[in-house]
Amino acid sequence: MSIVVVGKSSFIARSILDRIGDCGWMYLSHNDALSDTSWVRDTNCLINFAFSPALKSGPYLPDQDIDLALARIIVNRPIHYIMASSRLVYGHGPEKFRIRETYPTTPATLYGQNKLSTENALLSTLDPDRVTILRLANVFGHELYRSLFFGRMLTNLKETEKIIFDTDPRSRRDFFAVWHLADALSIITQKLYPGIFKLGSGIGTSCAVIAPWVIEGFGRGTIESTNDGSITDQYWLDTAKAHAIWPSLPEITQNTIRSDCIDCGSWLKNYATH
C-alpha cells in the first residue's frame, strides 16, 4: 500500500517520521501536493496534517481548506482519506466529563468550528466509505515554541525554569504522546475503516501532575499559577469505538503518561535547541 502524508513540516508529521521512519510512505508539503498531483497515481491512502493558519482564528473559508482541496484532487480516485481533526469540535463541557460517542458537536472556538466544517466538507465531497476522521486529544511530544499547551509549558521551562499556568492546574485533560499516535496510524493504515473516531489516552490527567513529571525529567523548575481557581475545559475521550475496530491500538495508562512526560523533560534538558 502506498501512503502519502501531507504537511511534512508539521510537528505531528515530523514526529511520525522520527518514530516509524518513512516505511515507504511519501511525505509532502501541502504546496507540493496541490501543485504537482502526480502522487495520486500510486496512492492508496492519504493522511493530511496541513491546516491553513487563516482557519485557526478566522471564519471558515472553503478556498483556505487544505483538506477540501486535497479531497477534490482525489475525488475520482480510489484513495482512502484520513483527516486529523480535533476534540475541540465538541466544545467545552461540564467541569468533569468524558466525551462519549453521543456527545454533541458544539464547538466553542473558531478553530473547533472550522475543523467541524472541514469534516462536513470532506464527507460531502468524498464517498464517506473512503473517509476516516480522527478527533484527536492533546497530542504532545518533543516540542519547543509550539503554541499549544504542552509546547508553551516546555518552552517556558527551558527559558525560565518555570511552568506558569493560566488555567487551574487541577484541570484534567486527555494527553496523548505523538509517538503513540504514530503507532496508532501504523495500525490504522493496515486496516482502513471509515467513520469518525476519537483518539487519545482515554484518561483524564490533571495538569498538576503533568508538570511535575516534566520537571522530574528536566531536573529542575518551579510551578506557578495565575488562575483564580476556576476549573474549566476538563475532558477525556471515550476511545472504545476506535479500540473495537483496531484492537491492537496502544493501551495508555497513567504510568505510560508519566513516562512520556519524563521523557519530554529529559529531551528538553539534553537535546532541545529549537
Side-chain angles (χ1 to χ4, degrees), residues 37-38 40-43 71 73-80 126 130:
T37 60
S38 59
V40 304
R41 289 194 298 267
D42 302 313
T43 300
I73 289 172
I74 68 168
V75 66
N76 294 317
R77 297 275 183 167
I79 298 174
H80 194 94
L126 299 176
R130 292 169 49 199

Side-chain angles (χ1 to χ4, degrees), residues 69 94 105 113 142 153 163 170 210-211 218 235 237 248 273:
T105 50
Q113 292 170 19
H142 299 161
M153 181 170 63
I163 293 176
R170 296 172 297 170
I210 289 286
F218 189 64
Y235 81 96
L237 303 180
S248 56
T273 57

Side-chain angles (χ1 to χ4, degrees), residues 193-264:
Y193 197 91
I196 298 175
F197 301 91
K198 293 184 291 299
L199 205 57
S201 68
I203 300 171
T205 306
S206 76
C207 302
V209 298
I210 289 286
W213 289 339
V214 172
I215 288 173
E216 181 179 346
F218 189 64
R220 59 191 181 277
T222 58
I223 301 170
E224 298 179 9
S225 176
T226 60
N227 184 265
D228 61 4
S230 301
I231 298 179
T232 58
D233 196 23
Q234 290 201 124
Y235 81 96
W236 47 100
L237 303 180
D238 182 349
T239 60
K241 180 181 176 183
H243 280 268
I245 299 299
W246 300 285
S248 56
L249 286 176
E251 290 285 352
I252 310 300
T253 67
Q254 202 81 71
N255 283 335
T256 308
I257 298 170
R258 178 178 183 272
S259 296
D260 294 337
C261 291
I262 292 173
D263 176 273
C264 286

Side-chain angles (χ1 to χ4, degrees), residues 158-177:
K158 182 76 173 180
E159 293 183 343
T160 69
E161 297 189 1
K162 291 181 181 180
I163 293 176
I164 302 174
F165 290 106
D166 56 6
T167 58
D168 193 299
R170 296 172 297 170
S171 298
R172 297 168 64 191
R173 297 176 183 171
D174 192 320
F175 293 96
F176 190 50

Side-chain angles (χ1 to χ4, degrees), residues 37-77:
T37 60
S38 59
W39 53 269
V40 304
R41 289 194 298 267
D42 302 313
T43 300
N44 299 101
C45 177
L46 172 62
I47 308 170
N48 179 43
F49 295 113
F51 191 74
S52 171
L55 298 184
K56 291 182 179 180
S57 57
Y60 179 74
L61 300 170
D63 62 352
Q64 294 292 320
D65 190 337
I66 297 170
D67 284 281
L68 178 57
L70 292 168
R72 287 170 172 167
I73 289 172
I74 68 168
V75 66
N76 294 317
R77 297 275 183 167

Side-chain angles (χ1 to χ4, degrees), residues 51-52 55-58 84-89 107-117 148:
F51 191 74
S52 171
L55 298 184
K56 291 182 179 180
S57 57
S85 190
S86 169
R87 66 92 189 178
L88 286 171
V89 300
T109 64
L110 282 171
Y111 177 78
Q113 292 170 19
N114 291 339
K115 279 292 189 181
L116 186 59
S117 294
L148 301 181

